[in-house]
Amino acid sequence: QVQLVESGGGLVQAGDSLRLSCAASVRISSTLPMAWFRQGPGKEREFVAGIIRNTYVSDSVKGRFSISRDTDKNTVYLQMNSLKPEDTAVYYCAAHWQWEELLKGEASYWGQGTQVTVSS
């Protein structure tokens, strides 16, 4: 059983940066697909960024967000720059061995989420 714990969320102003962390309770392989999703108020959950050997980000955050992994710390990060009010959401970390299923949000493991609020 893998437990994922997100941290790093908060209230920031537009244009600020935040780095979210997702700590796993077990050693995570560099080949384990992991991803960040978000769910804004009144919106469906959406894919933000994912990592296996390469990294992938959604078009809505491309150029502003990046994902990285530190296998020594069993942690995945989401660096968020130039934040906008529309980035306001609960951000979730997820892990799943099938990349295509993970992209669709069909993950075996989810964190509890961390709130990010961006004021204008």
Side-chain angles (χ1 to χ4, degrees):
Q1 186 74 7
V2 178
Q3 291 184 327
L4 303 174
V5 179
E6 302 97 334
S7 62
L11 172 63
V12 296
Q13 293 186 333
D16 286 350
S17 297
L18 274 178
R19 188 177 77 160
L20 305 183
S21 299
C22 171
S25 61
V26 298
R27 181 167 181 79
I28 55 174
S29 165
S30 61
T31 59
L32 172 64
M34 297 188 70
W36 287 93
F37 290 79
R38 68 184 181 185
Q39 186 165 17
K43 298 180 181 179
E44 294 186 353
R45 184 177 59 197
E46 64 172 342
F47 170 84
V48 176
I51 184 168
I52 34 178
R53 288 188 176 84
N54 296 320
T55 63
Y56 305 85
V57 294
S58 70
D59 289 341
S60 63
V61 303
K62 192 168 292 183
R64 300 187 298 121
F65 291 14
S66 62
I67 185 172
S68 62
R69 185 200 322 249
D70 186 334
T71 53
D72 290 338
K73 296 182 178 179
N74 299 320
T75 301
V76 171
Y77 303 98
L78 182 68
Q79 178 66 44
M80 306 185 294
N81 299 326
S82 301
L83 283 161
K84 304 176 181 180
E86 51 263 44
D87 296 318
T88 294
V90 178
Y91 285 72
Y92 298 92
C93 177
H96 190 66
W97 282 106
Q98 297 299 323
W99 173 248
E100 293 77 12
E101 293 175 353
L102 179 61
L103 286 180
K104 294 187 291 185
E106 298 170 1
S108 297
Y109 308 105
W110 290 92
Q112 83 289 349
T114 185
Q115 176 71 47
V116 172
T117 303
V118 185
S119 64
S120 57

